[in-house]
């Protein structure tokens, strides 16, 4: 398989969807998942009026993106934070609201490329997988300390792994002999536990387990669940929140948050929506958008993307 692509997913579509919100003097975009700054660079170069606040929990990503976006001077500000802290980030910058918030979820190609960070299963590396290597538990700690029932749940829910129980049992057995430290030993165990017929059809046997560990180590779904209402709350009238998800649980969570925010607060049995009770937000995308076959053939990461966008149409205080 080709290495991870550095091309941002749905780049033109994302910029087009943000443009109506950002095309006015003094507008501000929060790129909540700055990564290598690909989406941010496109916004900065194509929409002159906009300033970008780039958030990432990964100090290495922030350093690389800051270097790349240095030519934009004070139109770009990098912030080391977890994206559910958006309210505090804006407070610290003296901003009460912004015009766009962009989420391009998951890991970056850079994180996958740096072997020592342990995200990629193709090479033997320390079992780390923290997006912010300065804090939190590692994948090795998850494997060596979690109860078998918790390991099973994580593998089943986050990894959609059919052999979750069998794998968790084997991990518990093996760690009693010697704790896990490197990915190579885990990959070997997965080859042994996943039956050959399933291996032939289910993709690389380590893919689902690695994804599940990464989501647990970084507490990805809980953070996203908090970040959705926080970012919807942060946008001005005309402002948009744009989310690119790559996992069905992420997309479901985004969909639920967007549907809840765009619903009117009047009882469902009322035949009309009284003035002042119209919803403050509207869904810009009907359902979710996917990448085109052409983009997917150039950028395999685009295959699983689901794009959703919501826009504020009324002031927060407008609905009584
Ligand atoms: C897919 S990459 C973004 C790529 C970026 N759009 C680009 O064009 O280069 C996702 C980035 O979001 C960061 N990230 C993931 N979850 C985060 C969170 N909860 N808070 C802050 N940053 C996060 C990761 O560290 C990674 O750098």
């Amino acid at each position: 398989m080709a290495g991870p692509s550095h091309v941002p997913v749905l780049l033109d579509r994302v910029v087009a969807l943000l443009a109506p919100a950002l095309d006015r003097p003094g507008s501000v975009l929060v790129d909540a998942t700055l990564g290598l700054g690909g989406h941010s660079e496109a916004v900065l170069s194509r929409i002159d009026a906009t300033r970008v606040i780039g958030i990432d929990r990964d100090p290495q990503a922030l350093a690389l993106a800051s270097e790349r976006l240095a030519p934009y001077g004070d139109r770009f500000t990098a912030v080391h934070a977890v994206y559910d802290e958006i309210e505090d980030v804006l407070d610290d910058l003296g901003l009460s609201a912004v015009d766009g918030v962009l989420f391009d979820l998951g890991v970056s190609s850079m994180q996958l490329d740096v072997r020592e960070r342990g995200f990629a299963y193709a090479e033997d590396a320390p079992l780390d997988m923290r997006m912010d290597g300065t804090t939190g538990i590692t994948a090795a700690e998850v494997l060596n300390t979690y109860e078998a029932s918790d390991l099973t749940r994580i593998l089943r829910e986050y990894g959609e792994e059919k052999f979750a129980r069998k794998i968790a049992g084997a991990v518990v057995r093996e760690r009693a002999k010697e704790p896990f430290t490197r990915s190579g030993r885990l990959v070997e165990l997965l080859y042994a536990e996943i039956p050959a017929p399933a291996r032939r059809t289910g993709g690389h046997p380590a893919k689902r387990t690695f994804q599940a560990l990464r989501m647990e180590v970084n507490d990805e779904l809980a953070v996203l669940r908090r970040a959705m209402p926080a970012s919807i709350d942060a946008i001005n009238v005309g402002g948009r929140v744009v989310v690119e998800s790559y996992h069905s649980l992420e997309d479901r969570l985004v969909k639920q948050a967007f549907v809840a925010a765009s619903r009117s607060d009047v009882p469902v049995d009322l035949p009309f929506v009284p003035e002042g009770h119209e919803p403050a937000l509207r869904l810009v995308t009907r359902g979710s958008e996917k990448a085109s076959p052409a983009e997917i053939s150039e950028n395999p990461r685009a295959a699983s993307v689901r794009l959703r966008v919501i826009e504020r149409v009324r002031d927060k205080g407008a609905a009584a």
Side-chain angles (χ1 to χ4, degrees):
M1 198 182 110
S5 165
H6 289 258
V7 182
V9 174
L10 291 175
L11 181 65
D12 291 336
R13 184 69 183 135
V14 163
V15 177
L17 284 161
L18 284 169
L22 299 179
D23 219 355
R24 49 186 142 147
S27 65
V28 179
L29 169 70
V30 174
D31 183 347
T33 52
L34 179 66
L36 293 174
H39 283 104
S40 279
E41 179 165 58
V43 167
L44 286 163
S45 66
R46 298 184 202 176
I47 310 176
D48 288 340
T50 296
R51 167 182 171 206
V52 173
I53 317 290
I55 295 177
D56 208 295
R57 68 197 298 181
D58 181 344
Q60 214 176 346
L62 282 172
L64 289 168
S66 297
E67 207 177 302
R68 175 179 187 175
L69 301 175
Y72 295 94
D74 61 7
R75 289 180 61 210
F76 173 69
T77 310
V79 181
H80 183 220
V82 180
Y83 55 51
D84 64 345
E85 298 166 324
I86 186 166
E87 194 184 335
D88 292 340
V89 169
L90 297 183
D91 266 0
D92 289 349
L93 293 167
L95 293 165
S96 57
V98 296
D99 306 287
V101 185
L102 169 64
F103 293 85
D104 177 18
L105 302 175
V107 272
S108 73
S109 47
M110 177 276 286
Q111 287 162 334
L112 289 167
D113 280 348
V114 179
R115 188 170 65 96
E116 291 306 304
R117 304 201 52 174
F119 286 106
Y121 47 74
E123 289 180 278
D124 186 37
L127 281 162
D128 190 323
M129 297 196 201
R130 290 170 300 170
M131 289 184 188
D132 181 352
T134 66
T135 176
I137 59 165
T138 64
E141 286 172 85
V142 171
L143 285 173
N144 292 327
T145 63
Y146 277 30
E147 302 274 343
S149 57
D150 287 329
L151 287 173
T152 305
R153 175 182 51 80
I154 291 164
L155 294 176
R156 194 171 281 149
E157 278 180 25
Y158 299 166
E160 296 171 85
E161 174 56 72
K162 275 196 288 204
F163 301 97
R165 241 164 84 96
K166 193 162 181 277
I167 295 168
V171 166
V172 170
R173 242 183 2 258
E174 284 301 308
R175 77 189 186 194
K177 296 178 196 156
E178 196 190 348
F180 283 89
T181 55
R182 299 187 65 86
S183 59
R185 185 163 161 231
L186 176 62
V187 172
E188 242 173 64
L189 177 150
L190 293 166
Y191 267 104
E193 294 305 316
I194 297 176
R199 263 190 270 143
R200 277 194 290 274
T201 55
H204 193 288
K207 188 175 163 194
R208 293 174 297 278
T209 292
F210 271 57
Q211 172 176 284
L213 286 171
R214 191 204 86 206
M215 290 175 77
E216 175 64 18
V217 163
N218 297 289
D219 200 15
E220 294 180 26
L221 291 177
V223 174
L224 182 64
R225 190 173 293 117
R226 292 191 292 270
M228 283 300 105
S231 47
I232 290 170
D233 232 40
I235 50 171
N236 285 313
V237 174
R240 291 182 169 191
V241 178
V242 174
V243 187
E244 296 182 272
S245 310
Y246 299 87
H247 189 289
S248 58
L249 292 177
E250 289 171 347
D251 183 51
R252 191 194 306 163
L253 211 149
V254 174
K255 176 183 171 184
Q256 286 167 349
F258 280 14
V259 167
S262 58
R263 212 181 273 140
S264 165
D265 62 353
V266 298
V268 280
D269 53 356
L270 212 66
F272 64 96
V273 178
E275 219 182 300
H277 288 267
E278 297 91 350
L281 291 120
R282 80 171 178 100
L283 300 175
V284 177
T285 43
R286 295 268 141 230
S288 66
E289 287 187 15
K290 300 178 186 175
S292 68
E295 177 166 352
I296 294 169
S297 72
E298 290 200 350
N299 188 358
R301 193 174 135 72
S304 52
V305 75
R306 298 291 178 272
L307 174 77
R308 293 183 190 270
V309 183
I310 197 166
E311 180 183 87
R312 180 173 295 286
V313 287
R314 276 178 199 82
D315 260 340
K316 270 183 247 174

Coordinates of all heavy atoms in Angstrom, one line a residue, residues 222-274:
A222 N -14.9 11.0 23.7 CA -15.4 11.9 24.8 C -15.0 13.3 24.5 O -15.8 14.2 24.7 CB -14.8 11.4 26.1
V223 N -13.8 13.5 23.9 CA -13.4 14.9 23.6 C -14.2 15.5 22.5 O -14.7 16.6 22.6 CB -11.9 14.9 23.2 CG1 -11.4 16.3 22.8 CG2 -11.0 14.4 24.4
L224 N -14.5 14.7 21.5 CA -15.3 15.2 20.4 C -16.8 15.5 20.9 O -17.4 16.5 20.5 CB -15.4 14.1 19.3 CG -16.1 14.4 18.0 CD1 -15.5 15.6 17.3 CD2 -16.2 13.2 17.1
R225 N -17.3 14.6 21.8 CA -18.7 14.9 22.3 C -18.7 16.2 23.0 O -19.7 16.9 22.9 CB -19.0 13.7 23.2 CG -20.5 13.7 23.6 CD -20.9 12.5 24.4 NE -20.8 11.3 23.7 CZ -20.0 10.2 23.9 NH1 -19.2 10.3 24.9 NH2 -20.0 9.2 23.2
R226 N -17.7 16.6 23.7 CA -17.7 17.9 24.4 C -17.4 19.0 23.4 O -17.9 20.1 23.6 CB -16.6 17.9 25.5 CG -16.9 17.0 26.7 CD -15.9 17.3 27.8 NE -14.6 16.9 27.5 CZ -14.0 15.7 27.8 NH1 -14.8 14.8 28.3 NH2 -12.8 15.5 27.5
A227 N -16.6 18.7 22.4 CA -16.2 19.8 21.5 C -17.3 20.3 20.5 O -17.3 21.4 20.1 CB -15.0 19.3 20.6
M228 N -18.3 19.4 20.2 CA -19.3 19.8 19.3 C -20.2 20.9 19.8 O -20.2 22.0 19.2 CB -20.2 18.6 18.8 CG -19.5 17.6 17.9 SD -19.1 18.5 16.3 CE -17.3 18.7 16.5
P229 N -20.8 20.8 21.0 CA -21.6 21.9 21.4 C -20.8 23.1 21.7 O -21.2 24.3 21.5 CB -22.3 21.4 22.7 CG -21.6 20.1 23.0 CD -21.0 19.6 21.8
A230 N -19.5 22.9 22.2 CA -18.6 24.1 22.5 C -18.3 24.9 21.2 O -18.3 26.1 21.2 CB -17.3 23.6 23.1
S231 N -18.1 24.2 20.1 CA -17.8 24.9 18.9 C -19.0 25.6 18.2 O -19.0 26.7 17.7 CB -17.0 24.1 17.9 OG -17.6 22.8 17.7
I232 N -20.2 24.9 18.3 CA -21.4 25.5 17.8 C -21.7 26.7 18.6 O -22.2 27.7 18.0 CB -22.6 24.4 18.0 CG1 -22.4 23.3 16.9 CG2 -23.9 25.1 17.8 CD1 -23.3 22.1 17.1
D233 N -21.4 26.7 19.9 CA -21.6 27.8 20.8 C -20.7 29.0 20.4 O -21.0 30.2 20.7 CB -21.3 27.4 22.2 CG -22.4 27.7 23.1 OD1 -23.6 27.6 22.7 OD2 -22.1 28.2 24.3
A234 N -19.6 28.7 19.8 CA -18.5 29.7 19.6 C -18.7 30.5 18.3 O -18.0 31.5 18.0 CB -17.2 29.0 19.5
I235 N -19.7 30.1 17.4 CA -19.8 30.8 16.1 C -20.8 31.9 16.1 O -21.9 31.9 16.7 CB -20.1 29.8 14.9 CG1 -21.2 28.9 15.2 CG2 -18.8 29.1 14.6 CD1 -21.7 28.1 14.0
N236 N -20.5 33.0 15.4 CA -21.3 34.1 15.1 C -22.5 33.8 14.2 O -22.4 32.7 13.5 CB -20.5 35.2 14.4 CG -19.6 35.9 15.2 OD1 -19.9 36.3 16.3 ND2 -18.3 36.1 14.7
V237 N -23.5 34.6 14.1 CA -24.5 34.5 13.0 C -23.8 34.5 11.7 O -22.9 35.3 11.4 CB -25.5 35.6 13.1 CG1 -26.5 35.5 11.9 CG2 -26.3 35.5 14.4
G238 N -24.1 33.5 10.8 CA -23.4 33.3 9.5 C -22.2 32.4 9.6 O -21.6 32.0 8.6
G239 N -21.8 32.1 10.8 CA -20.6 31.3 11.1 C -20.9 29.8 10.8 O -22.1 29.4 10.9
R240 N -19.9 29.0 10.5 CA -20.1 27.6 10.2 C -19.1 26.7 10.9 O -18.0 27.1 11.1 CB -19.9 27.4 8.7 CG -21.0 28.0 7.8 CD -20.9 27.7 6.4 NE -22.1 28.1 5.7 CZ -22.3 27.9 4.4 NH1 -21.5 27.2 3.7 NH2 -23.5 28.2 3.8
V241 N -19.6 25.5 11.3 CA -18.8 24.5 11.8 C -18.7 23.3 10.8 O -19.8 22.9 10.3 CB -19.3 23.9 13.2 CG1 -18.4 22.8 13.7 CG2 -19.4 25.0 14.2
V242 N -17.5 23.0 10.4 CA -17.3 22.0 9.3 C -16.5 20.8 9.9 O -15.5 21.0 10.6 CB -16.5 22.6 8.2 CG1 -16.1 21.5 7.1 CG2 -17.2 23.8 7.5
V243 N -17.1 19.6 9.8 CA -16.4 18.4 10.4 C -16.2 17.3 9.4 O -17.1 16.9 8.7 CB -17.3 17.8 11.6 CG1 -16.5 16.7 12.3 CG2 -17.7 18.9 12.5
E244 N -15.0 16.8 9.3 CA -14.6 15.7 8.5 C -14.3 14.5 9.4 O -13.4 14.6 10.2 CB -13.4 15.9 7.6 CG -13.6 17.0 6.6 CD -12.3 17.2 5.8 OE1 -11.4 18.0 6.2 OE2 -12.2 16.6 4.7
S245 N -15.2 13.5 9.4 CA -15.0 12.3 10.3 C -14.6 11.1 9.5 O -14.9 11.0 8.3 CB -16.4 11.9 10.9 OG -17.0 13.0 11.5
Y246 N -13.9 10.2 10.1 CA -13.4 9.0 9.4 C -13.8 7.7 10.1 O -13.4 6.6 9.6 CB -11.8 9.1 9.3 CG -11.4 10.3 8.6 CD1 -11.2 11.5 9.2 CD2 -11.2 10.2 7.2 CE1 -10.8 12.6 8.6 CE2 -10.8 11.4 6.5 CZ -10.6 12.6 7.2 OH -10.2 13.7 6.5
H247 N -14.6 7.8 11.1 CA -15.1 6.6 11.8 C -16.6 6.7 12.0 O -17.0 7.8 12.3 CB -14.3 6.6 13.2 CG -14.5 5.3 13.9 ND1 -15.7 5.0 14.6 CD2 -13.6 4.3 14.2 CE1 -15.5 3.8 15.2 NE2 -14.3 3.4 15.0
S248 N -17.3 5.6 11.9 CA -18.8 5.7 12.0 C -19.2 6.3 13.4 O -20.2 7.0 13.4 CB -19.4 4.4 11.7 OG -18.9 3.4 12.7
L249 N -18.5 6.0 14.4 CA -18.9 6.5 15.8 C -18.7 8.0 15.8 O -19.5 8.7 16.4 CB -18.1 5.8 16.9 CG -18.4 4.3 17.1 CD1 -17.5 3.8 18.2 CD2 -19.9 4.1 17.5
E250 N -17.6 8.5 15.2 CA -17.4 10.0 15.2 C -18.5 10.6 14.4 O -19.1 11.6 14.8 CB -16.1 10.3 14.4 CG -14.8 9.9 15.2 CD -13.6 10.1 14.3 OE1 -13.7 10.3 13.0 OE2 -12.5 10.1 14.8
D251 N -18.8 10.1 13.2 CA -19.8 10.7 12.4 C -21.2 10.7 13.0 O -22.0 11.7 12.9 CB -19.9 10.0 11.0 CG -20.9 10.7 10.1 OD1 -20.8 11.9 9.9 OD2 -21.8 10.0 9.5
R252 N -21.5 9.6 13.7 CA -22.8 9.5 14.4 C -22.9 10.6 15.5 O -23.9 11.3 15.6 CB -23.0 8.1 15.0 CG -24.4 7.9 15.5 CD -24.6 6.7 16.4 NE -24.1 5.5 15.8 CZ -23.8 4.4 16.5 NH1 -24.0 4.4 17.8 NH2 -23.3 3.3 15.9
L253 N -21.8 10.8 16.2 CA -21.8 11.8 17.3 C -22.0 13.2 16.7 O -22.7 14.0 17.3 CB -20.4 11.6 17.9 CG -20.3 11.9 19.4 CD1 -19.2 11.0 19.9 CD2 -19.8 13.3 19.5
V254 N -21.3 13.5 15.6 CA -21.4 14.8 15.0 C -22.8 15.0 14.5 O -23.4 16.1 14.7 CB -20.4 14.9 13.8 CG1 -20.6 16.2 13.0 CG2 -19.0 14.8 14.3
K255 N -23.4 14.0 13.8 CA -24.7 14.1 13.3 C -25.7 14.4 14.4 O -26.6 15.3 14.3 CB -25.1 12.7 12.6 CG -26.5 12.7 12.1 CD -26.8 11.3 11.6 CE -28.3 11.2 11.3 NZ -28.6 9.8 10.8
Q256 N -25.6 13.6 15.5 CA -26.5 13.8 16.7 C -26.4 15.3 17.2 O -27.4 15.9 17.5 CB -26.3 12.8 17.8 CG -26.8 11.4 17.4 CD -26.3 10.4 18.4 OE1 -25.4 10.6 19.2 NE2 -26.9 9.2 18.2
A257 N -25.2 15.8 17.4 CA -25.0 17.1 17.9 C -25.6 18.2 16.9 O -26.2 19.1 17.4 CB -23.5 17.4 18.1
F258 N -25.4 18.0 15.6 CA -25.9 18.9 14.7 C -27.4 18.9 14.6 O -28.1 20.0 14.5 CB -25.3 18.6 13.3 CG -23.9 19.1 13.1 CD1 -23.1 19.5 14.2 CD2 -23.3 19.2 11.8 CE1 -21.8 20.0 14.0 CE2 -22.0 19.7 11.6 CZ -21.2 20.1 12.7
V259 N -28.0 17.7 14.6 CA -29.4 17.6 14.5 C -30.1 18.2 15.7 O -31.0 19.0 15.7 CB -29.9 16.1 14.3 CG1 -31.4 16.0 14.5 CG2 -29.5 15.6 12.9
A260 N -29.5 18.0 16.9 CA -30.0 18.5 18.2 C -30.0 20.1 18.1 O -30.9 20.8 18.5 CB -29.3 18.0 19.4
A261 N -28.9 20.6 17.6 CA -28.7 22.1 17.6 C -29.6 22.7 16.6 O -29.9 23.9 16.7 CB -27.2 22.4 17.3
S262 N -30.0 22.0 15.5 CA -30.8 22.7 14.5 C -32.3 22.4 14.6 O -33.0 22.8 13.7 CB -30.3 22.2 13.1 OG -30.4 20.8 13.0
R263 N -32.6 21.8 15.7 CA -34.0 21.6 16.0 C -34.7 22.7 16.7 O -34.0 23.4 17.5 CB -34.1 20.3 16.9 CG -35.3 19.5 16.6 CD -35.4 18.3 17.6 NE -34.6 17.1 17.1 CZ -33.9 16.4 17.9 NH1 -33.7 16.7 19.2 NH2 -33.3 15.3 17.4
S264 N -36.0 23.0 16.4 CA -36.7 24.0 17.1 C -37.0 23.6 18.5 O -37.2 22.3 18.7 CB -37.9 24.4 16.3 OG -38.8 25.1 17.2
D265 N -37.2 24.5 19.4 CA -37.5 24.1 20.8 C -39.0 24.0 21.1 O -39.4 23.8 22.2 CB -36.8 25.0 21.8 CG -37.4 26.5 21.7 OD1 -38.1 26.7 20.7 OD2 -37.0 27.3 22.5
V266 N -39.8 24.1 20.0 CA -41.3 24.0 20.3 C -41.7 22.5 20.3 O -41.1 21.7 19.7 CB -42.1 24.7 19.2 CG1 -41.8 26.2 19.1 CG2 -41.9 24.1 17.8
P267 N -42.8 22.2 21.1 CA -43.2 20.8 21.2 C -43.5 20.3 19.8 O -44.1 21.0 18.9 CB -44.5 20.9 22.0 CG -44.5 22.3 22.7 CD -43.6 23.2 21.9
V268 N -43.2 19.0 19.6 CA -43.4 18.4 18.2 C -44.8 18.4 17.7 O -45.1 18.4 16.5 CB -42.9 17.0 18.2 CG1 -41.4 16.9 18.0 CG2 -43.3 16.1 19.4
D269 N -45.8 18.5 18.7 CA -47.2 18.4 18.2 C -47.8 19.8 17.8 O -48.9 19.9 17.4 CB -48.1 17.7 19.3 CG -48.0 18.4 20.7 OD1 -47.1 19.3 20.8 OD2 -48.7 18.0 21.6
L270 N -47.0 20.8 18.0 CA -47.4 22.1 17.5 C -47.3 22.2 16.0 O -46.3 21.9 15.4 CB -46.5 23.2 18.2 CG -47.2 24.5 18.5 CD1 -48.2 24.4 19.6 CD2 -46.1 25.5 19.0
P271 N -48.4 22.6 15.3 CA -48.4 22.5 13.8 C -47.5 23.6 13.2 O -47.2 23.5 12.0 CB -49.9 22.7 13.5 CG -50.5 23.4 14.6 CD -49.7 23.0 15.8
F272 N -47.1 24.6 13.9 CA -46.2 25.6 13.3 C -45.2 26.1 14.3 O -45.4 25.8 15.5 CB -47.1 26.8 12.9 CG -47.8 27.5 14.0 CD1 -47.2 28.6 14.6 CD2 -49.0 27.0 14.6 CE1 -47.8 29.3 15.7 CE2 -49.6 27.7 15.7 CZ -49.0 28.8 16.2
V273 N -44.2 26.7 13.8 CA -43.1 27.2 14.8 C -43.4 28.7 15.0 O -43.3 29.6 14.1 CB -41.7 27.1 14.1 CG1 -40.7 27.6 15.1 CG2 -41.5 25.6 13.8
P274 N -43.8 29.1 16.2 CA -44.1 30.5 16.5 C -42.8 31.4 16.3 O -41.7 30.9 16.5 CB -44.5 30.5 18.0 CG -44.6 29.1 18.4 CD -43.9 28.3 17.4

